[in-house]
Amino acid sequence: MINTISILLALSSLFLFGSSRIRISIRVVIAQGFLLGIAFLLHNEEHLNSSTWTIAISSMLLKGIVLPWLLTFVLHRSRAKLEIEPYVGFGTSLFIGVLLLGFSTYVAWNLSLTSTVRAIPPALFSTALFLIFCGMFLIVTRKKAITQTIGYLVLENGVFATGLGIGHEFPFIVEMGVMLDIFVGVFLMGIMIFRIDKAFDHTDTHRFNTLLDEIAPEHNDSEDMESAQ
Amino acid sequence: MMLWLLICIPFAAGALSYFITANRVRRTLWFLAAATHLFLSFMLAFQSDVDTVKDSWLAMDALSRIFLPLTSLLFTAATLYAIGSFENSHGGKSDTAANESVPRLQPESVFTGCMLVFLASMTTVILSHRLGLQWVAIEATTLASTPLIYYHQGTRSLEAAWKYILLCSVGIAVALLGIFSLALAAGGVTSELTVESLVTHATRLDPRWLKLVFIFILVGYGSKMGLAPLHTWLPDAHSEAPSAVSALLSGALLNCAFVGILRVLQILNAAGMGDFGQHILIFFGLFSMGIAAIFILRQPDYKRLLAYSSVEHMGIIILGTGLAQGGMFGSLLHAVNHSFVKAMLFMTAGNILAVYATKRIDGVRALKQTAPVVAVLWFGGFLAITGSPPFGTFLSEFSILQEAVRQERFVTAGLYLFFLLLVFIGMAATFSRMTFGAPQSEQPAKKLHPWSLVPPAFLGIAALMMGVFIPEQLDALLHSAAELITRGAL
């Protein structure tokens, strides 16, 4: 069952490499949130208690409902176009995605075969690595702030899955703290996407180029005055 | 119990001050919370009885005894300075009429609230001995400081804040992987991820996974500490934030990330794998220094100059850490010195900005005539940050050099000196032009609030004192902390 979920997770991330619609990408993130929650419950099948239930349900609520809803809200309210604008084309992205999947499977198999400490389920572990690579790739190659936020969520899903694969549980308070951090982080990012949209009339971070060192920035008095306290 | 108070007081005060609209009441609360925190942290740090404050979640060891009072002292200084600079900006309200169009929703209450929550999370980072909790706290420092960087609400600060939150969050996610790997390395040995229990069982941890742990943590927390090549967010964030915040980001927050790395280094050393870490640390240290030196040489913006100087000094600190015990003492001492000097310089830079209303080096001339007090602080700060003899930085930089030569690492020592020289040349040109250059046709005149001058002056005197004589207790603390980290346990 865990293997099925792992494969679904990997396929859904591969889909992100080729998808050109922001709304569909958000739906993929929703699916991942629920899949991870189920995986967490399956993993703790033998000792289900109130704290594992709380963690699983709040994780599903957060990653499957609240954060995607927040992103959808931001998407509708900002004037961003609904297409993803990549630096690397979708075909190339997909190809790189397949390579990354192969690479993470290779690494995960090696690590889990040679692990003397504890048995690691290779399928889940390789998927987790793949999600992390996928998140980083999306952050680096997508132009819009909102797609970078989606990349960050996928990365966080990957880290969560790694925790599952390695079979380590934090104390309840730490687990909730991690979730709170992610929630506040994405919430702040959402607010900032609004502001970026208002201030720049676009949400493309590649046009963020006022703070460069190579070119002496054009002297802008009003900006400086504003920062003068 | 007392340790929890250190976290709860600023947190509660922060939550409360978000709802207070009266400036005077809120600022009083802010100052009271900072002063209480300062008093408590000094009292607890000098309490010799360790066991009474030992707790499974929070504990006080030599390392926290150094960094907790330091952070608290800087925060109190920044509080006074921020209140003073708010007064400065009220005095010049008519000048900034052009920016009235920028919407502000009670920014000062949000600012105060975030500052205090920022203090609470930094305290947690320093006191926490559970690596999971420490991770949560480090991420919380990022989240609490993002609104602070965005305080001016301009397009430039927005850009800086976006880079800051995204790059730091990704970096810290990598650190979480490191903590998971540590749990795996400790599998079956100990289920508690506290520094103490891991150090006790260090030799039984899986060495291959431990190497991976160290790399993940160094990359993760290193990006938060501003080590090149993971530093790209730092010059933006530190230069666009209000100066009181820049002082804290450079002086206190970078240290917190350093503490995060040191905790894992302690475990690595206890496992007898210090050699593995050393090469990586020396490389990162030299690389950061080199990159910073290049950007300092041709920098048109004086706050960015200071930010790059922070990258350089983090490089020095990490390099010292890589040189085992003798270097560890030097790097801890340097962390303390750097905090004093850099906080002072950022506050002074804020004063210059208030007078000249520009961050361009070209726009600032003849500081000596325009604002003599600021000029003294600015030039004194320059001498201190480049490690000139009467200041504490000279001692710490010299002891790191000495250790490198003693270990016959001549290439490291040579590169270290070369980069220090480059930085000195770059900064000397800039600082002397700004302080002594020929006056411009029209000189701005502005009266600065005394509270925006007293904190940097105090920090400058502290930096000078550190060079003349180090208090006995601090010296003993630095030695025992260096031993704690290099031996794993006392």
Side-chain angles (χ1 to χ4, degrees):
Chain A
M1 189 61 192
I2 280 255
N3 287 344
T4 319
I5 289 180
S6 309
I7 290 164
L8 282 176
L9 278 172
L11 282 179
S12 67
S13 320
L14 207 53
F15 187 76
L16 282 178
F17 280 94
S19 151
S20 68
R21 293 262 150 189
I22 295 178
R23 217 172 294 175
I24 293 176
S25 301
I26 294 177
R27 283 193 196 134
V28 170
V29 172
I30 296 177
Q32 287 189 349
F34 280 107
L35 284 173
L36 279 172
I38 296 167
F40 182 83
L41 283 177
L42 285 174
H43 186 80
N44 292 301
E45 221 168 4
E46 286 112 43
H47 38 267
L48 281 176
N49 53 30
S50 60
S51 65
T52 41
W53 274 109
T54 317
I55 292 170
I57 289 174
S58 44
S59 158
M60 281 197 258
L61 271 179
L62 182 73
K63 289 178 179 159
I65 296 174
V66 178
L67 295 181
W69 176 79
L70 189 78
L71 288 179
T72 319
F73 182 73
V74 170
L75 184 68
H76 284 279
R77 292 291 295 271
S78 72
R79 286 157 294 172
K81 275 183 284 166
L82 302 180
E83 279 95 31
I84 294 172
E85 292 165 44
Y87 287 112
V88 180
F90 296 111
T92 325
S93 293
L94 205 55
F95 181 66
I96 294 174
V98 173
L99 288 185
L100 283 177
L101 182 59
F103 177 68
S104 37
T105 313
Y106 173 76
V107 172
W109 272 101
N110 269 326
L111 279 177
S112 47
L113 283 181
T114 54
S115 172
T116 49
V117 200
R118 186 187 292 170
I120 308 168
L124 184 59
F125 194 48
S126 62
T127 304
L129 286 181
F130 178 57
L131 284 182
I132 292 169
F133 286 132
C134 172
M136 287 186 173
F137 183 82
L138 290 181
I139 290 173
V140 174
T141 59
R142 299 299 188 249
K143 287 178 186 171
K144 283 207 178 82
I146 193 163
T147 16
Q148 291 177 344
T149 312
I150 292 174
Y152 173 67
L153 274 179
V154 174
L155 173 71
E156 281 295 344
N157 282 344
V159 173
F160 185 85
T162 314
L164 272 186
I166 283 176
H168 172 257
E169 284 127 51
F170 278 132
F172 179 69
I173 297 176
V174 175
E175 200 83 64
M176 295 311 273
V178 173
M179 256 185 259
L180 185 69
D181 275 344
I182 294 170
F183 170 67
V184 178
V186 175
F187 187 72
L188 279 177
M189 286 181 197
I191 292 176
M192 283 162 70
I193 294 170
F194 263 128
R195 299 291 176 131
I196 293 170
D197 186 54
K198 241 159 96 181
F200 291 93
D201 280 324
H202 62 79
T203 52
D204 294 2
T205 51
H206 76 292
R207 277 147 76 183
F208 269 3
N209 47 17
T210 40
L211 296 181
L212 283 183
D213 284 298
E214 286 78 22
I215 326 148
E218 229 175 274
H219 188 38
N220 191 340
D221 261 320
S222 65
E223 279 286 339
D224 282 333
M225 294 281 271
E226 179 191 345
S227 14
Q229 296 175 349
Chain B
M1 191 55 223
M2 289 296 264
L3 293 180
W4 285 106
L5 268 185
L6 277 174
I7 298 165
C8 294
I9 288 175
F11 192 82
L16 198 62
S17 61
Y18 185 81
F19 297 103
I20 302 176
T21 42
N23 276 345
R24 189 171 286 275
V25 180
R26 189 179 49 244
R27 287 176 192 174
T28 314
L29 176 71
W30 183 7
F31 176 71
L32 281 180
T36 318
H37 191 271
L38 183 67
F39 172 74
L40 273 180
S41 53
F42 266 91
M43 195 185 81
L44 290 171
F46 290 111
Q47 217 169 43
S48 53
D49 203 355
V50 191
D51 291 331
T52 53
V53 287
K54 203 143 208 163
D55 184 85
S56 68
W57 287 88
L58 303 176
M60 190 76 119
D61 63 357
L63 201 60
S64 357
R65 276 171 212 273
I66 297 169
F67 285 110
L68 181 66
L70 181 67
T71 305
S72 194
L73 193 65
L74 287 180
F75 186 83
T76 313
T79 301
L80 288 177
Y81 175 83
I83 294 173
S85 60
F86 280 138
E87 292 296 323
N88 278 346
S89 69
H90 279 299
K93 201 80 197 170
S94 54
D95 303 339
T96 51
N99 292 296
E100 290 293 296
S101 56
V102 180
R104 289 194 178 181
L105 301 156
Q106 271 296 321
E108 209 189 307
S109 64
V110 177
F111 183 80
T112 314
C114 286
M115 277 291 245
L116 286 163
V117 174
F118 185 41
L119 175 66
S121 48
M122 284 195 294
T123 311
T124 319
V125 175
I126 294 171
L127 290 178
S128 165
H129 281 229
R130 285 203 183 226
L131 296 171
L133 180 66
Q134 192 180 41
W135 184 90
V136 172
I138 290 186
E139 173 72 15
T141 59
T142 312
L143 301 176
S145 50
T146 307
L148 296 175
I149 292 171
Y150 182 51
Y151 175 65
H152 289 308
Q153 311 207 333
T155 48
R156 290 164 66 98
S157 50
L158 184 58
E159 179 178 340
W162 177 260
K163 282 183 189 168
Y164 177 67
I165 192 171
L166 198 69
L167 287 173
C168 284
S169 297
V170 171
I172 293 170
V174 174
L176 189 58
L177 277 184
I179 292 172
F180 283 139
S181 315
L182 188 59
L184 190 70
V189 181
T190 167
S191 60
E192 298 242 308
L193 278 186
T194 60
V195 177
E196 278 73 23
S197 69
L198 287 168
V199 162
T200 318
H201 303 288
T203 43
R204 288 166 60 206
L205 302 178
D206 186 335
R208 277 175 315 139
W209 279 98
L210 211 50
K211 282 183 185 173
L212 208 60
V213 170
F214 183 68
I215 291 171
F216 277 145
I217 294 281
L218 189 65
V219 169
Y221 290 163
S223 67
K224 181 91 187 170
M225 189 181 165
L227 298 177
L230 311 159
H231 70 285
T232 46
W233 59 271
L234 191 145
D236 298 346
H238 288 204
S239 67
E240 293 307 318
S243 297
V245 177
S246 312
L248 283 182
L249 289 177
S250 264
L253 183 57
L254 298 182
N255 285 345
C256 288
F258 180 51
V259 168
I261 294 174
L262 285 182
R263 296 276 184 224
V264 176
L265 189 65
Q266 186 184 347
I267 297 165
L268 200 72
N269 280 327
M273 289 166 56
D275 293 343
F276 168 75
Q278 280 182 15
H279 297 291
I280 303 177
L281 289 169
I282 290 175
F283 170 77
F284 263 104
L286 286 175
F287 192 63
S288 306
M289 288 180 73
I291 293 280
I294 293 167
F295 282 100
I296 282 174
L297 277 176
R298 34 172 308 187
Q299 186 53 249
D301 177 328
Y302 57 85
K303 273 189 90 175
R304 283 182 86 82
L305 181 85
L306 294 181
Y308 274 110
S309 154
S310 292
V311 176
E312 180 224 344
H313 284 272
M314 288 304 120
I316 295 177
I317 290 168
I318 278 294
L319 172 69
T321 312
L323 291 171
Q325 199 178 348
M328 184 69 74
F329 172 77
S331 91
L332 287 172
L333 181 61
H334 195 71
V336 176
N337 286 326
H338 170 256
S339 296
F340 284 137
V341 180
K342 190 51 65 61
M344 167 215 180
L345 273 173
F346 266 118
M347 290 177 187
T348 315
N351 287 337
I352 297 176
L353 188 59
V355 175
Y356 286 86
T358 176
K359 282 191 234 167
R360 307 263 312 165
I361 289 167
D362 301 336
V364 182
R365 286 289 177 274
L367 205 52
K368 193 160 64 91
Q369 279 98 20
T370 322
V373 183
V374 178
V376 170
L377 289 174
W378 189 238
F379 204 73
F382 152 69
L383 291 176
I385 202 73
T386 48
S388 309
F391 289 95
T393 40
F394 172 74
L395 277 184
S396 44
E397 285 180 6
F398 187 71
S399 67
I400 291 172
L401 177 69
Q402 226 175 1
E403 186 62 24
V405 173
R406 200 186 62 75
Q407 296 183 5
E408 300 185 348
R409 295 177 191 270
F410 295 117
V411 180
T412 307
L415 282 173
Y416 174 69
L417 275 181
F418 176 65
F419 292 141
L420 282 181
L421 187 71
L422 274 188
V423 170
F424 184 84
I425 295 170
M427 287 195 141
T430 308
F431 277 71
S432 54
R433 253 189 304 157
M434 287 174 71
T435 318
F436 304 113
Q440 284 164 326
S441 48
E442 66 174 299
Q443 285 291 332
K446 182 163 177 163
K447 197 120 183 70
L448 291 168
H449 195 273
W451 275 10
S452 64
L453 292 171
V454 173
F458 171 77
L459 292 173
I461 291 168
L464 191 62
M465 287 293 286
M466 289 288 291
V468 182
F469 96 111
I470 304 172
E472 212 170 292
Q473 273 165 316
L474 180 62
D475 190 55
L477 266 182
L478 287 168
H479 275 290
S480 59
E483 198 159 332
L484 177 75
I485 292 155
T486 41
R487 294 240 183 103
L490 280 177

